[in-house]
């Protein structure tokens, strides 16, 4: 499963980077997926970060 951040939706709470720093980073005021970690969508912690993102900007898809 792929994980990405919809930058248009992200409002920069940094929650994702705080919850799962191995997968998410916080750059220029937005959450981003670290390069090479785009396939981490199956990680339960990443799924939780998606559920808890206040703007629902963390996208998990096939
Ligand atoms: S938790 Fe959501 S709103 Fe906050 S930085 Fe991450 S993607 Fe953006």
């Amino acid at each position: 499963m792929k994980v990405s951040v919809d930058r248009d939706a992200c409002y920069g709470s940094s929650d994702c980077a705080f919850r799962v720093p191995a997968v998410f980073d916080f750059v220029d005021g937005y959450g981003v997926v670290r390069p090479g970690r785009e396939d981490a969508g199956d990680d339960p912690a990443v799924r939780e970060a998606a559920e808890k993102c206040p703007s629902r900007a963390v996208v998990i898809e096939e």
Side-chain angles (χ1 to χ4, degrees):
M1 302 287 277
K2 300 287 185 191
V3 60
S4 60
V5 172
D6 178 351
R7 188 170 171 135
D8 290 335
C10 171
Y11 82 104
S13 69
S14 80
D15 288 32
C16 56
F18 179 78
R19 287 178 188 283
V20 197
V23 173
F24 299 100
D25 197 2
F26 191 65
V27 178
D28 295 334
Y30 297 94
V32 297
V33 176
R34 291 184 183 276
R37 300 309 313 272
E38 297 87 353
D39 62 349
D42 287 318
D43 183 331
V46 170
R47 291 180 168 275
E48 183 175 5
E51 290 168 9
K52 300 254 171 94
C53 170
S55 59
R56 309 294 291 183
V58 176
V59 179
I60 294 176
E61 57 195 345
E62 295 287 343

